Amino acid sequence: MALFGGSRDISLFNTISKELINDIIQTEIAYYKFTLEHTKVNVYGEAPQKNYYEPIKIASLIDRSDQTWTSDEFGPDVNQNITFTFLRKEFINLNLFSDVGDLILFRNNFYEVDGRIENQLAFGKDPDYALSTETSDFGGNFSITLNTHLSRVEKLSLVPLKGGKYPTTVKSQGGEANKLEY
């Protein structure tokens, strides 16, 4: 049995992390969740106009890289990669699961999610994947990191949220997958 990293230690880490990010740093972004169910695709499986749920405001730690400029026959173009880090518990409370293609609004620029990293473990343990019952109350998974790139979004089609949370998607029996439940 582990000596450190029990539920009281993890609760302290969660409380301090939440206070640090939400009350002291206070850098908030708007998170736009892509909605496949409300997006129409053409015969080639492409979506000329993507639909997103209304944005949710959430606090984040931000690691920006410098902007890079390229130029071609169409003129100059700017690129920038940013890493956004969120508290995992905040995502769970908002019923938010990040996917590639979601958008983040930060400083009047839209950043499209390229990938998700979820491996910041306290004490090297994740209780969700404990192999024995003795270690299921030790450790914790704290953060979700999203790698993004600067994106151009000319039109944003929004689908209203109900109750301030994103709807859950469940795989149901009978051939209906990812049916929206409000």
Side-chain angles (χ1 to χ4, degrees), residues 33-179:
K33 179 75 179 142
F34 175 67
T35 172
L36 182 61
E37 296 83 9
H38 294 95
T39 301
K40 294 179 182 174
V41 294
N42 61 19
V43 71
Y44 302 109
E46 300 166 339
Q49 184 175 356
K50 295 179 182 177
N51 291 317
Y52 295 88
Y53 289 110
E54 290 178 351
I56 287 185
K57 184 173 65 170
I58 186 169
S60 173
L61 294 176
I62 299 166
D63 183 20
R64 296 183 288 254
S65 66
D66 291 335
Q67 297 169 332
T68 58
W69 293 87
T70 58
S71 187
D72 57 14
E73 64 270 5
F74 299 110
D77 191 20
V78 65
N79 297 309
Q80 185 178 28
N81 294 328
I82 293 185
T83 301
F84 295 92
T85 303
F86 304 93
L87 292 174
R88 184 173 183 264
K89 208 167 206 59
E90 296 285 322
F91 264 44
I92 292 170
N93 291 341
L94 293 169
N95 196 28
L96 177 60
F97 184 84
S98 61
D99 287 314
V100 172
D102 291 349
L103 292 177
I104 294 174
L105 176 64
F106 174 65
R107 296 187 66 198
N108 289 335
N109 289 316
F110 286 97
Y111 295 88
E112 187 173 348
V113 175
D114 295 326
R116 173 177 123 156
I117 302 168
E118 192 174 353
N119 62 2
Q120 184 183 14
L121 305 177
F123 302 99
K125 299 177 180 84
D126 188 351
D128 294 337
Y129 298 99
L131 296 178
S132 67
T133 56
E134 295 174 354
T135 60
S136 64
D137 196 29
F138 291 89
N141 192 352
F142 280 99
S143 69
I144 294 174
T145 301
L146 301 178
N147 296 321
T148 65
H149 70 275
L150 185 62
S151 180
R152 287 185 187 80
V153 180
E154 283 73 29
K155 290 184 194 174
L156 206 59
S157 299
L158 299 179
V159 175
L161 285 175
K162 300 207 177 177
K165 291 187 178 183
Y166 290 115
T168 58
T169 56
V170 293
K171 187 172 184 179
S172 59
Q173 303 299 326
E176 290 186 45
N178 292 327
K179 184 177 178 183

